[in-house]
Amino acid sequence: MAKLTGKYAFMDAVDVKLYPAGTDVSSGVPAVDPEGTITIDYLNSSALSLSVDTQYALIKGANAIPFSGNKSGTFTMDAQAVTMEYLAMVLGGDYQEDGSILVTDTTETPSYVLVGTFRGKQHGDNATQIFDVILFNVAAQPSVDMTLDATSIGSFPLVLDVLADTNGQIAKIQPHAE
């Protein structure tokens, strides 16, 4: 694939599919969603934040020589209309067969492979282009402050930890292959 040139602008929230951990997305998304796939295509906002642990050698007390270490991050989603599966992840609970959410004193946080799409436009031709974002290993942070108010619509943020997979890969952003 040729390198993209030009300037792009993005105005979209990511549409997400959370595939069970270990799903191979190296050659694209699966033709059929594996059992346990969660679709989240109703977000109002999404944000990816990546950071690196860096230590510095000091010279006369000032940071002078960086040693970059591990990289990790978060992917934050926010929605007002949600599915029960989404709400279960927000609450750190388990979505039950009877449609309820059970929250217990311990939390098993499953890992997923996140594949999302979002729209952008290139300066010049102004044509909409679809991009993919792949986060190779994510897990929900099971902490929440849930506020419901009789005078405004509730908002439900969900924060996923973004971690490296077994190959050391964290994220990939690319033009969507048709």
Side-chain angles (χ1 to χ4, degrees):
M1 180 178 294
K3 285 190 175 184
L4 296 177
T5 59
K7 297 173 185 74
Y8 289 84
F10 302 98
M11 185 174 168
D12 201 1
V14 175
D15 288 339
V16 170
K17 285 198 177 192
L18 294 175
Y19 294 110
T23 301
D24 183 12
V25 295
S26 60
S27 58
V29 297
V32 176
D33 290 342
E35 185 176 334
T37 298
I38 299 170
T39 299
I40 304 171
D41 58 0
Y42 45 82
L43 297 175
N44 294 321
S45 67
S46 55
L48 174 62
S49 174
L50 297 174
S51 61
V52 64
D53 297 328
T54 303
Q55 294 182 0
Y56 297 91
L58 305 178
I59 296 178
K60 295 193 177 245
N63 292 344
I65 303 169
F67 289 87
S68 295
N70 296 325
K71 202 177 279 184
S72 62
T74 58
F75 184 78
T76 304
M77 302 179 275
D78 192 66
Q80 289 181 324
V82 298
T83 63
M84 293 298 280
E85 290 170 315
Y86 181 97
L87 190 56
M89 283 191 289
V90 167
L91 296 170
D94 293 313
Y95 183 53
Q96 306 291 301
E97 292 293 323
D98 66 1
S100 65
I101 297 170
L102 179 62
V103 180
T104 61
D105 63 342
T106 59
T107 301
E108 291 293 325
T109 307
S111 291
Y112 298 95
V113 176
L114 181 150
V115 177
T117 58
F118 60 96
R119 295 174 299 137
K121 287 188 175 186
Q122 184 175 10
H123 180 247
D125 69 4
N126 208 32
T128 299
Q129 185 171 351
I130 305 295
F131 289 83
D132 296 327
V133 59
I134 301 169
L135 304 177
F136 294 97
N137 183 12
V138 298
Q141 289 183 3
S143 299
V144 67
D145 291 323
M146 186 169 100
T147 302
L148 300 176
D149 184 327
T151 61
S152 60
I153 296 170
S155 186
F156 299 92
L158 173 58
V159 179
L160 302 175
D161 288 320
V162 177
L163 308 161
D165 70 0
T166 56
N167 297 319
Q169 299 177 112
I170 293 177
K172 184 176 186 178
I173 296 174
Q174 63 192 8
H176 184 71
E178 295 299 322

